[in-house]
């Protein structure tokens, strides 16, 4: 059995990670485009195409060598977990007030 840490994560664009991290820290809305695994963006009508999204970034998480953004999608009004290596983020200067994450199960008592 392989440990998930043994698998190489795809390379991440440092400027994308910086953009997402800065927007998260300053509570600025991000505009994000979803990319294919090869870094290209599908055109409308192609498989895998998703419209540009405006999101409120909540926090960054690293898991198994991959960076994920937990964000609130303003168009769909839903929480999303997005892989940062699959995003083309564009910063905005639009500030937002932080939202509370959806309720989670309480820890089991001992």
């Amino acid at each position: 059995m392989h440990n998930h840490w043994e698998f190489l994560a795809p390379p991440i664009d440092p400027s994308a990670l910086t953009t997402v991290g800065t927007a998260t820290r300053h509570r600025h809305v991000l505009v994000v485009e979803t990319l294919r695994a090869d870094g290209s963006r599908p055109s409308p009508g192609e498989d895998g195409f998703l419209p540009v999204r405006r999101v409120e970034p909540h926090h960054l998480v690293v898991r198994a060598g991959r960076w994920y953004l937990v964000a609130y999608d303003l168009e769909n009004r839903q929480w999303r977990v997005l892989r940062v290596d699959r995003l083309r983020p564009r910063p905005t200067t639009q500030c937002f007030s932080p939202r509370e994450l959806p309720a989670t199960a309480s820890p089991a008592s001992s």
Side-chain angles (χ1 to χ4, degrees), residues 13-21 23 29-35 52-53 55 69 83-92:
D13 177 5
S15 65
L17 189 56
T18 300
T19 298
V20 172
V29 171
L30 275 173
V31 175
V32 296
E33 295 175 275
T34 304
L35 305 174
V52 172
R53 296 178 185 267
V55 299
L69 171 63
R83 277 181 48 179
V84 177
D85 64 304
R86 298 279 178 94
L87 296 179
R88 182 178 297 144
R90 293 192 315 263
T92 72

Side-chain angles (χ1 to χ4, degrees), residues 30-53:
L30 275 173
V31 175
V32 296
E33 295 175 275
T34 304
L35 305 174
R36 293 181 178 126
D38 67 4
S40 65
R41 175 137 167 83
S43 297
E46 290 183 328
D47 286 340
F49 175 79
L50 293 173
V52 172
R53 296 178 185 267

Side-chain angles (χ1 to χ4, degrees), residues 30-97:
L30 275 173
V31 175
V32 296
E33 295 175 275
T34 304
L35 305 174
R36 293 181 178 126
D38 67 4
S40 65
R41 175 137 167 83
S43 297
E46 290 183 328
D47 286 340
F49 175 79
L50 293 173
V52 172
R53 296 178 185 267
R54 292 176 45 253
V55 299
E56 295 175 349
H58 189 274
H59 63 273
L60 283 165
V61 177
V62 65
R63 171 112 170 113
R66 289 191 173 120
W67 286 92
Y68 296 89
L69 171 63
V70 177
Y72 187 79
D73 185 321
L74 292 167
E75 279 76 33
N76 293 332
R77 298 182 181 175
Q78 294 180 356
W79 285 96
R80 302 276 184 201
V81 177
L82 306 165
R83 277 181 48 179
V84 177
D85 64 304
R86 298 279 178 94
L87 296 179
R88 182 178 297 144
R90 293 192 315 263
T92 72
T93 57
Q94 180 185 356
C95 295
F96 65 90
S97 297

